[in-house]
Each structure stands twice: as structure tokens, then as C-alpha cells.
Amino acid sequence: MLAAGGAALVFGALPWPAFGDLAGRTIPILTFVVAMSLVTELLDEAGLFQVVTDRLATLGRGSVFRLWLLAIALAAVSTVFLSLDTTAVLVTPVVVLLAVHARIPPLPFALTSIWLANTASLLLPVSNLTNLLAQDKLALSPAAFAGLVWAPAAVSILVPLALLWMAFRKEFKGAYGPQPAHRVRDRRLLIFAAGTVIVLLPALVSGVPVQFPAMAAALFLLVVFLRRRPAALRWSMVPWRPMMLTAGLFMVVEALHAQGLTRILGALSGSGESLGALLQLAALGVGAANAINNLPAYLALEPLAGSPARLAALLIGVNIGPLVTPWASLATLLWHERLQALNVRIRWGGFALAGLLAVALTVPLAVVALWVATGMH
């Protein structure tokens, strides 16, 4: 994909002025993604997520339903404040191993993790790369962004959880026994990691450009690890492949825009801010995300979302919609890799049918919530 983007630039399909504008807009976002990837990897190396696992098992007090509620809280907070990819990569093993150690079926916990990774990624700019692009386009503070999307964000969390409860309510009635605790290898390193999170989370929603606190946190943790556990540092902590894919997608979609993509999609996206128009744009976002991937889907449709309400409707489609096909969201592919490493098998046919039901119910209700909250009724 990166080679395709480079070819588009070299052979003129992507004009240099358009590439300059694209780079100015996306380099800070890609910097944030790399920095946050490093932060979450180093937090995991410090043992923070193992400690969280132990605390959740203790707080569950033997109730599977209470344990599920705690898994929901962890996945939602991780997605909202640290991004959907963090939830897919680091929260998934936590909640799945909780289930495995408790000798309860891991599927409800695994599905909770990936559904919330996508559907809870609407509230803050840092929750999803698409949100950061939308925030940049609208020039909104994190608080103003949340003020625009809070109602559909609430719906997008509650409706999938209601579906999961109805599907697995028998499993949630069970009990589990005491859980083995993990040994902390370096308590001081763990304290540094926890302190970093405590400082970083409010900084990410303070209104300061998010790449700066993320870079500061990554640099601080790197220095700490160089002093206390340098052997843990490895180049694979940097997400090279996702970054090359993302940069290539940015360039290819921008080249397609330069060749008339906006005009072609304009006939399908509708116009205006009526409920029907918002539903039409969100549905197009759902279809495009599941056909190609939510990031190029957002980039392709962004020029057609000419107002805050329409942009929010597009985000509903491309953020909540990727629950059907495995490639609709990078988070889903990362989640599946983690499940394979844990020897948990997923049937994609069942995954797609369950996701289709969740999307068919959640997206229209979220759009209605947006329409009502923005005063368009």
C-alpha cells in the first residue's frame, strides 16, 4: 500500500500540493499512534496489565457476571482514553485469561473486548484514528468533540452490551474460584508505569495536541526502561507495518480524491442534516468500512460530510460498523492474532452474523441519538 501511494505521487495521480497538505495534517496523527503504541507496549512489559488482571479477579468476588462488568469497564476505559487498538492488543489477553483461569467460556469476554474496542471508540479524539482526523477537520477541543458525539457514544456502548447479555446470560450466572496472582518482577518499574498512566490520561483530554503528551510519556518510559530493564526494549514495539499501511492508505485515497472520487460518492451519500440523510451517510460508512477498512472508508467519505452533524454520522458508520468482516478494522485483525496466541478459536461466520445484528440495531439508534441531541428534530 505504501508503494502504491508512492507511485501515485511519483506519476502525478497525487499532486504534490495535495500531498503537502496531507502530510501536514497526518504526520502529527501518525506520530501520536507510534508514541501510544510504545507507551502501551512498555506498560505491558512493566506488568501493569497483569496487576490489573489480578485486581479484577479479586473484585469479581467469585461472580462471573460481576467479572464481566469489570471487563466491560476495563475495555471501555481503555478504548476511550487509549484507543481501540490498545484494547484489542492488551485488554483482550487480560479478559480472556481471566475467563480461562476462572474455567468459564472465554467467548463472551473475547467478544466484549472487540465489540467495545470498536463501538466505544466514538467519544474522544484519542479513541480512534478516524476521530483524530475528524477533530482536525472540525478544529474542536476534546471537550467540544465529546459534546458533539456523547449521545451516540452512549448508545454505541449500551446496545451491544445488551445484545451480549441476552446472548450469554446463562454463562454469566456462574461462579468462579480463587485466581493465581502474578509476581511483580520490578515494583519500582511498575510504579513508574502506573504514574505515567495517571499523568497521561488527563493530558490526552486537556486540549493540548495529543502527540505531545504521548511523545513525552513514551520518552519517559524509554528512559526508565533503559536504566532498569534495557533487554526488554525491541524494535518490534514500533508498529512499522500498521504505520506503512496507514500512510499508504492516506496517499492512495488522497490520489483517488484528486481523480474525482468525491464526485462519484456524492450521489450515494445524500445531503443535508435530516434524519434520513444522516442515516444514509452512516449506512454508506458501514458498507465502505466492511468492504475495504474503516480508515480508507472515512478518508473517502470525509469530503461529503460538510458539517459537524454529518461528520459525526460518518464516524458512527465507520467506527461502529466494522463488526462484520475481519478486515473492516485493524483492531479486529490484532484481536484475532491475540486470540490465536491464546488458543481461542473464532468462527468468522458466526462472528459476522452476530456483528451484523449488532450493527443493524446500534448504528440507526446511534444516528437517531445524534439527530435528537443536535436539535434537528
Side-chain angles (χ1 to χ4, degrees):
M1 188 58 68
L2 186 60
L9 183 63
V10 170
F11 293 107
L14 173 58
W16 280 96
F19 173 71
D21 293 341
L22 178 70
R25 186 181 177 199
T26 58
I27 285 174
I29 293 172
L30 295 177
T31 303
F32 165 77
V33 173
V34 171
M36 284 303 297
S37 296
L38 277 172
V39 168
T40 51
E41 290 280 359
L42 294 171
L43 294 178
D44 190 38
E45 281 289 338
L48 185 63
F49 290 93
Q50 288 184 336
V51 171
V52 169
T53 303
D54 295 342
R55 295 293 182 270
L56 291 182
T58 302
L59 291 171
R61 292 183 292 181
S63 165
V64 174
F65 181 69
R66 191 178 291 117
L67 192 66
W68 181 59
L69 293 180
L70 292 167
I72 289 169
L74 177 62
V77 169
S78 169
T79 301
V80 169
F81 290 99
L82 295 175
S83 88
L84 74 167
D85 294 338
T86 299
T87 301
V89 172
L90 295 176
V91 173
T92 295
V94 168
V95 298
V96 168
L97 288 174
L98 274 175
V100 170
H101 291 157
R103 292 185 171 84
I104 55 181
L107 181 61
F109 288 78
L111 274 181
T112 297
S113 176
I114 193 55
W115 276 17
L116 284 181
N118 286 289
T119 66
S121 69
L122 196 61
L123 185 62
L124 291 177
V126 296
S127 308
N128 199 320
L129 191 56
T130 55
N131 297 0
L132 287 170
L133 291 166
Q135 181 199 23
D136 176 72
K137 184 174 178 65
L138 294 172
L140 293 176
S141 68
F145 184 92
L148 173 65
V149 298
W150 69 268
V155 169
S156 68
I157 293 174
L158 294 174
V159 174
L161 290 178
L163 292 173
L164 287 168
W165 180 82
M166 287 188 286
F168 298 110
R169 58 188 181 277
K170 291 183 180 179
E171 286 87 341
F172 292 147
K173 290 180 180 177
Y176 66 94
Q179 301 295 295
H182 296 92
R183 184 177 65 86
V184 176
R185 290 177 57 188
D186 186 335
R187 186 164 296 278
R188 183 166 292 183
L189 188 61
L190 179 64
I191 291 170
F192 280 127
T196 301
V197 172
I198 291 170
V199 174
L200 178 61
L201 294 188
L204 290 174
V205 296
S206 66
V208 175
V210 290
Q211 68 270 22
F212 296 128
M215 289 166 60
L219 183 60
F220 173 74
L221 287 174
L222 282 171
V223 170
V224 171
F225 267 85
L226 282 170
R227 289 178 63 88
R228 300 195 65 83
R229 198 190 298 169
L233 300 176
R234 55 192 185 276
W235 284 109
S236 61
M237 288 180 166
V238 179
W240 303 107
R241 289 168 60 192
M243 286 303 95
M244 289 191 292
L245 172 66
T246 302
L249 285 171
F250 282 149
M251 295 171 71
V252 168
V253 173
E254 191 66 28
L256 291 173
H257 279 309
Q259 304 306 315
L261 179 66
T262 305
R263 185 177 65 256
I264 296 170
L265 293 175
L268 302 173
S269 65
S271 60
E273 298 178 350
S274 66
L275 178 58
L278 296 180
L279 286 168
Q280 185 177 350
L281 182 56
L284 185 58
V286 170
N290 282 289
I292 51 175
N293 178 265
N294 65 335
L295 183 59
Y298 172 83
L299 290 169
L301 295 168
E302 185 192 64
L304 304 170
S307 69
R310 283 183 63 81
L311 203 60
L314 174 58
L315 288 175
I316 290 170
V318 298
N319 286 14
I320 302 171
L323 296 181
V324 183
T325 59
W327 56 82
S329 167
L330 176 62
T332 304
L333 297 174
L334 296 171
W335 169 81
H336 186 243
E337 283 185 0
R338 288 298 188 269
L339 292 186
Q340 284 185 311
L342 295 168
N343 203 31
V344 175
R345 298 287 173 253
I346 291 293
R347 292 197 302 272
W348 286 117
F351 177 89
L353 286 174
L356 187 61
L357 173 63
V359 170
L361 289 173
T362 308
V363 169
L365 290 173
V367 173
V368 170
L370 170 70
W371 181 67
V372 172
T374 51
M376 295 177 187
H377 58 295

